[in-house]
């Protein structure tokens, strides 16, 4: 069964108009007034159930989610699992466009524990947690009696974070309906892998050589909503990619800094979900 919801968002791309007339000198006398018209962009977001046509777009977004370590996972199999439960989760598309620009869903790590993609993700996270001294807590959650839901909240760069709250709210409703129908979607905990960037400042080499990145570091979320989701996490740990294909020495025209991608694993108890959704609705209001 497919459903469609619409959400309108008006973005004001250019604020205000400006009239300029110059009459101070003979050279400028008679010049035409300049006016910049305010541009309004109307965007219709349509929410759909995941469909087979979404396979390649979902896989591309998941490749970004797993970053430099993406080749260590069976992402095609992971997308197949997501699409196999087509009444759980949502995709976001623009009106008239078949490609999803965002999706949010959850997979039951207990039900799919024998599936290769879930085994790979579980083993990967436990190894990363061990390096951060968090393996005991994570193993307890993974191996406990309560089921664990692996959350995927992915979107392209230019998709605003305001779509996340309604998608998460719809997901919780769908899970409640599924549980009422006897389906295995009663989760004790949710696990979310939040993309992070660590910015390092360059300092001068005392010997006059190239600058080294040994200055203070600043961690920032790539997804604005994850900053608020973290407030409700009962456990968390950071980890770096095992394979680093990017050089953190890259500079931009504004600051002499480098950006190193990483991830933060957030664990949220089911009891926190209503308050979490309310927080996102308030913090990311249109």
């Amino acid at each position: 069964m497919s459903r469609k919801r619409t959400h309108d968002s008006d973005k004001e791309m250019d604020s205000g108009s400006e009239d300029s007339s110059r009459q101070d000198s003979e050279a400028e006398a008679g010049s035409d007034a300049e006016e910049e018209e305010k541009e309004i962009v109307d965007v219709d977001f349509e929410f759909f159930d995941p469909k087979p046509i979404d396979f390649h777009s979902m896989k591309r977004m998941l490749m970004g989610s797993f970053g430099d370590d993406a080749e260590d996972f069976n992402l095609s199999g992971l997308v197949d699992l997501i699409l196999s439960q087509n009444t759980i989760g949502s995709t976001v598309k623009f009106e008239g466009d078949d490609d999803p620009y965002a999706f949010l869903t959850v997979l039951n790590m207990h039900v799919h524990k024998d599936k290769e993609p879930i085994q790979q993700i579980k083993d990967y996270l436990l190894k990363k947690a061990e390096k951060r001294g968090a393996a005991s807590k994570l193993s307890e959650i993974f191996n406990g009696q309560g089921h664990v839901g692996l959350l995927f909240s992915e979107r392209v760069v230019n998709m605003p974070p305001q779509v996340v709250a309604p998608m998460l709210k719809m997901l919780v409703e769908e899970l409640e309906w599924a549980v009422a129908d006897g389906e295995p979607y009663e989760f004790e905990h949710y696990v979310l892998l939040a993309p992070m960037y660590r910015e390092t400042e360059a300092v001068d080499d005392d010997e006059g050589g190239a600058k080294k990145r040994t200055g203070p570091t600043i961690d920032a979320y790539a997804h604005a909503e994850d900053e608020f989701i973290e407030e409700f996490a009962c456990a968390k740990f950071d980890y770096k990619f095992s394979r680093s294909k990017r050089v953190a020495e890259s500079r931009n025209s504004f600051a002499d800094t480098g950006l190193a991608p990483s991830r933060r694993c957030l664990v949220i108890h089911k009891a926190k979900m209503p308050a979490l959704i309310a927080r996102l609705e308030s913090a990311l209001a249109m």
Side-chain angles (χ1 to χ4, degrees):
M1 180 180 69
S2 178
R3 52 167 164 55
K4 176 178 176 182
R5 301 176 176 87
T6 61
H7 185 77
D8 295 334
S9 172
D10 292 339
K11 285 187 178 180
E12 192 174 285
M13 302 299 293
D14 194 2
S15 60
S17 61
E18 180 182 350
D19 290 332
S20 62
S21 62
R22 297 184 177 134
Q23 301 175 349
D24 295 335
S25 65
E26 292 183 359
E28 294 177 337
S31 63
D32 294 332
E34 296 180 359
E35 182 175 326
E36 295 181 1
E37 295 184 355
K38 181 170 60 177
E39 182 182 0
I40 303 292
V41 178
D42 295 329
V43 179
D44 289 332
F45 294 137
E46 299 179 341
F47 295 79
F48 294 88
D49 292 316
K51 300 176 181 178
I53 195 174
D54 303 327
F55 179 92
H56 294 292
S57 294
M58 281 186 167
K59 185 176 179 180
R60 282 194 297 269
M61 283 186 268
L62 286 172
M63 288 179 67
S65 177
F66 288 99
D68 296 335
D69 292 343
E71 62 188 78
D72 293 335
F73 303 95
N74 179 3
L75 296 184
S76 292
L78 185 61
V79 178
D80 285 337
L81 285 179
I82 292 172
L83 294 176
S84 70
Q85 48 179 39
N86 62 356
T87 59
I88 299 295
S90 302
T91 62
V92 180
K93 301 178 182 181
F94 291 127
E95 186 176 15
D97 196 336
D98 289 334
D99 291 328
Y101 287 78
F103 76 89
L104 190 150
T105 193
V106 63
L107 288 174
N108 191 321
M109 296 188 70
H110 284 64
V111 169
H112 300 299
K113 63 181 180 180
D114 295 327
K115 303 293 177 57
E116 184 183 39
I118 299 302
Q119 288 179 337
Q120 291 171 334
I121 293 172
K122 180 181 178 180
D123 292 344
Y124 178 85
L125 290 177
L126 286 173
K127 289 179 182 178
K128 295 298 184 183
E130 186 174 7
K131 294 180 180 179
R132 305 295 294 181
S136 177
K137 177 66 174 178
L138 190 63
S139 180
E140 178 183 342
I141 291 171
F142 281 162
N143 299 319
Q145 292 185 348
H147 287 198
V148 176
L150 183 60
L151 276 172
F152 295 96
S153 180
E154 306 298 333
R155 66 178 191 273
V156 298
V157 174
N158 60 343
M159 176 60 66
Q162 282 79 5
V163 301
V164 177
M167 292 175 75
L168 189 57
K169 189 172 184 177
M170 284 189 288
L171 177 65
V172 171
E173 291 175 349
E174 290 163 349
L175 296 179
E176 291 174 350
W177 298 335
V179 170
D181 289 339
E183 299 181 52
Y185 290 103
E186 178 70 40
F187 298 118
E188 188 71 17
H189 292 92
Y190 295 87
V191 173
L192 174 68
L193 308 182
M196 302 280 295
Y197 287 97
R198 171 162 291 187
E199 183 179 69
T200 59
E201 295 183 0
V203 295
D204 291 321
D205 188 351
D206 292 337
E207 298 180 358
K211 290 186 176 182
K212 298 180 179 180
R213 303 209 170 274
T214 56
T217 60
I218 302 172
D219 291 329
Y221 281 111
H223 292 167
E225 67 273 12
D226 292 336
E227 177 182 351
F228 305 108
I229 294 175
E230 183 187 351
E231 298 174 6
F232 300 90
C234 61
K236 62 181 180 180
F237 65 90
D238 294 354
Y239 63 90
K240 299 178 182 179
F241 294 125
S242 302
R243 310 169 188 270
S244 182
K245 297 180 181 179
R246 289 172 250 189
V247 180
E249 291 293 325
S250 60
R251 293 175 172 81
N252 56 49
S253 58
F254 301 101
D256 193 12
T257 60
L259 294 176
S262 62
R263 293 294 180 267
R264 178 167 293 170
C265 179
L266 302 174
V267 181
I268 303 101
H269 190 268
K270 65 178 182 180
K272 298 292 185 180
M273 291 300 285
L276 187 158
I277 293 172
R279 179 74 169 108
L280 292 181
E281 289 177 328
S282 173
L284 302 174
M286 288 288 191

